[in-house]
Amino acid sequence: MSVFGEVPQAAPVAVFKLSQDFNNDQCPDKVNLGVGAYRTDEGQPWILPVVKKVEKIIVQDEKLNHEYLPILGLPEFRSAASKIALGDDSPAIQENRVGAVQCLGGTGALKMGAEFLRRFYNGNNNTKTPVYVSAPTWENHNAVFANAGFEDVRPYKYWDAEKRGLDLAGFLGDLESCPQHSIFVLHACAHNPTGTDPTQEQWKQIAEVMMRRKLFVFFDSAYQGFASGSLEKDAWAVRYFVSMGFEMFCAQSFSKNFGLYNERVGNLTIVARDVDNLKRVLSQMEKIVRTTWSNPPSQGARIVAATLNSPELFAEWKDNVKTMADRVLLMRAQLKAKLQALGTPGTWDHITEQIGMFSFTGLNPKQVEYMVKEKHIYLMASGRINMCGLTSKNINYVAESIHDTVTMVQ
Amino acid sequence: MALLKSNKVLYCLGNISPSLGVLSSRHSSWWGGVQMGPPDPILGVTEAFKKDTNPKKMNLGVGAYRDDQGKPFVLSCVRKAEALIAAKQVDKEYLPIGGLGEFNKACAQLAFGADNEVLKSGRNITVQTISGTGSLRIGANFLSRFHGGPRDVYLPKPSWGNHTPIFRDAGMQLKSYRYYDPSTCGFDFKGALDDISKIPEKSVILLHACAHNPTGVDPRPEQWKEIAEIVKQRQLLVFFDMAYQGFASGDIDRDAWAVRYFLEQGHNILLSQSFAKNMGLYGERVGGFTVVCNDAEEAKRVESQLKILIRPIYSNPPMNGARIAATILNTPELHSVWLEEVHGMANRIIKMREQLVAGLKKEGSSHNWNHVIDQIGMFCFTGLKPEQVERLSKEFSVYMTKDGRISMAGVTSGNVAYLAEGIHAVTK
């Protein structure tokens, strides 16, 4: 008899299953447009040159050891990371009301924020506070908040499938009609999976409603720098909300913009009303961290801190980031051009209007299945493709395959 | 500025009249009602130590190994492994949710022994975790979701301070069984058996595999055998916490004896492992969590559920430390160097224990200090009372936690005599 005799087999996480299937596929023309990681034009992972440089420095530094970091993480990482999000000259930082928790990737930052909110936001342990995530959103958002104890995780209108753009009216409508004090998870830039971001004007409208209705702002910033190539531009929404006086959280990931995926480098930036509130918040964050992972891993944070805190390395990093962003922009432009040249049915402007790593192609599940089975091109059932999976070598094949699929399958 | 000032007033108002404070805090901050978290007792020790200007000061609170110069020790096998890894230039792609495969395999082999039947039949699932804490937390979450038995987890009394909040946050309830006997500074074997025999069937019992934290008191093999028997009779689910394999006796197989014995006796255990101390990889967060199942099929089901638990916490674990550990464990020359270095660390601790007792005898202490040598691992429960601990900090600048626990790692050949002097002074 086993205590675990009744444990059911859980379904695999879709995006990882996709990669697994891709790996098992023997077809030489196969293309992986699934997992969200950057690839070079040779289809290879890319260790940023600045990261290689810094890692060498770290490995050769005999003065460095592997002692525990403080519970909240490496101080020089936390402050530098928050500065990246909020800007060097951020008034909130100058007013000493910005703090941070180093976390395990963007996921870890969302987790810490969610756990804190469940315990202390809108009363104590108010698990009934609604948490709104965009429709659609990164699939793990739901689980992060649900597992933190929130009983009511709901979608807010976001993607308009028909017009292939932002459903602003629907979004604003949900903001107006939701229960007061609801928590909203906002994508700072490069919305995952749609690649569709509000314009600055639209962000202003969103902010106005959220301020008026006392809704909680929780930004997820996983692509700063990676979306447009400019750190400032990609942080505009976050900084605007800070300037409007919101107390808010911003979960930052350095997985993509530093290519440090597996070192789990994240930061939860906390903007509070004042230093006293901040202090108490951080003291409670420590308790949550302590029972989850005690203290965060040092390697990735050291790399990021060293880079951000050195003018030379920082400049080199920005350059590396621009390299990645530019290649994505190039692939977008070329894919659209090829589809138009082929006369593929439908409009394809959204390919270049969308931003960041992902594109919501508009392919329906049947068409996606066709792409995977017949063309050996792997993409998510939602029609999401990772632009980084495109290269100068496979872009023709992909364009032609989309053309075939859209023509053959309705 | 005015905003800051008015918040202070509002916060004070909150102290006079809570409801008034909450109302007005709402206007100024979401967090007006958030209390200051209680200070960490161990951190408090370090803070006080840092402020002390006495050149003879000693920090015996720290739970990290120090060499005989009182410095952090980076193992040479770790440096070698790092160099090997740097030369390879591996990519930084996400690890699987369950972590680095070659680490997981080596981790389980280290605990169970490479020829263990459990490994051969593939009926364990071992996942990489965020060191020991992360491992315990995943285990606690797993129990909370899937354990059909009582919600109670039985901890030895006392246990590592963080065990309780970890299990509690995961939704389990905490109870205890007698363990430490303050009258002997040793193991309360009779009390433990007595309490364990009364634990409701199918409850979870947590056991420290070796080098019990905080007491340093471990059961002897014959005692483990009786514990295993009574645990079996009560049909308890065993959760081993092994944070010091190799670090306790200096011998990794010896330190894993209890874990392996329980497996032999048919217990399908849960196991948390940490490489923070025995590889000195503290800040890299290297650990493993194992569930021993009935068969490989069950292990697959359990694995799928562990992934579902891990994904919404941190998605997948950090690479660096696991890669270092895997390289060491899987490269024969590095593996041997590691065994020697672990042996070296454990030996230094054992030597310090002996020198402390010798020093106390030399000072003329009439007390029985044998427990200092009988206890094992990093920590020693001295038996000092709070007032004596306080005197030691005030008069000698020797810092330890209030329960009289000292970290032997903070003792060196250079300061052990001073420590003996201080302890004798407050206990004579």
Side-chain angles (χ1 to χ4, degrees), chain B residues 10 44-45 62 75 77 89 142 166 168 184 190 209 229 279 285 287 318 325 336 363 367 417:
Chain B
L10 292 172
V45 169
V62 69
L75 280 65
C77 62
Q89 297 265 292
F142 182 75
I166 288 172
R168 187 166 287 150
T184 60
K190 194 170 169 306
E229 184 50 42
M279 279 194 184
R285 318 310 290 126
S336 329
E363 290 285 330
H367 295 289

Side-chain angles (χ1 to χ4, degrees), chain A residues 2 7-8 10 39 55 66 107 140 247 256 262 264 273-274 280 283-284 290-291 293-295 298, chain B residues 7 28-31 34-35 37 92-93 133 137 162 169 283-285 301 304-305 314-316 319:
Chain A
S2 164
V7 173
R39 292 284 177 271
E55 279 189 315
H66 293 286
T107 305
N140 206 17
E247 280 187 303
K256 283 84 173 173
N262 68 19
R264 316 312 294 123
R273 182 68 61 226
D274 55 45
R280 283 178 284 110
S283 75
Q284 295 295 347
R290 185 70 170 134
T291 62
W293 55 61
S294 268
N295 42 76
S298 67
Chain B
N7 278 353
S28 50
S29 169
W30 290 123
W31 317 126
V34 174
Q35 302 298 320
K92 303 209 163 287
E93 294 300 286
T133 300
R137 183 52 185 270
N162 208 16
D169 276 8
E284 302 295 340
R285 318 310 290 126
R301 281 185 282 115
S304 71
Q305 294 295 347
Y314 53 85
S315 278
N316 40 73
M319 166 66 101

Side-chain angles (χ1 to χ4, degrees), chain A residues 199-275:
Chain A
T199 61
Q200 291 185 2
E201 278 319 301
Q202 292 170 332
W203 273 123
K204 287 180 178 174
Q205 293 181 62
I206 292 163
E208 190 272 322
V209 183
M210 291 191 76
M211 179 62 85
R212 182 172 23 92
R213 303 213 58 245
K214 303 197 193 339
L215 306 176
F216 189 81
V217 175
F218 199 149
F219 270 109
D220 182 353
S221 177
Y223 301 97
Q224 189 184 358
F226 200 99
S228 70
S230 155
L231 292 171
E232 289 73 30
K233 215 159 148 209
D234 290 348
W236 187 88
V238 173
R239 296 175 189 188
Y240 177 74
F241 274 67
V242 173
S243 75
M244 290 304 290
F246 283 95
E247 280 187 303
M248 51 190 256
F249 287 171
C250 179
Q252 300 169 262
S253 167
F254 291 90
S255 291
K256 283 84 173 173
N257 60 14
F258 260 87
L260 284 173
Y261 307 93
N262 68 19
E263 297 296 2
R264 316 312 294 123
V265 198
N267 194 50
L268 178 69
T269 287
I270 299 155
V271 182
R273 182 68 61 226
D274 55 45
V275 64

Side-chain angles (χ1 to χ4, degrees), chain A residues 27 33 44 71 101 115 136 141 170 203 210 216 224 230 258 296 313 324 358 365 382 398 403 408:
Chain A
C27 172
L33 300 180
Q44 294 303 313
I71 297 174
V101 182
E115 288 284 346
H141 276 151
W203 273 123
M210 291 191 76
F216 189 81
Q224 189 184 358
S230 155
F258 260 87
L313 294 173
M324 294 191 285
F358 302 114
S382 60
V398 173
H403 180 84
M408 303 284 288

Side-chain angles (χ1 to χ4, degrees), chain A residues 146-159:
Chain A
N147 275 34
F150 286 103
E151 296 170 21
D152 186 356
V153 183
R154 325 172 178 180
Y156 60 87
K157 294 191 194 62
Y158 193 83
W159 169 251

Side-chain angles (χ1 to χ4, degrees), chain A residues 91-110:
Chain A
I93 293 179
Q94 282 159 13
E95 288 159 18
N96 293 317
R97 56 192 188 86
V98 173
V101 182
Q102 179 193 337
C103 296
L104 271 83
T107 305
L110 288 161

Side-chain angles (χ1 to χ4, degrees), chain A residues 2 65 68 79 86 113 125 127 132 155 158 184 196 216 237 241 246 257 262 271 296 306 328 354 383 388 402:
Chain A
S2 164
N65 55 42
Y68 289 124
S79 55
L86 269 37
N125 201 40
T127 59
Y132 281 82
Y158 193 83
F184 273 74
T196 299
F216 189 81
F241 274 67
F246 283 95
N257 60 14
N262 68 19
V271 182
V328 169
Q354 288 165 6
C388 301
I402 293 177

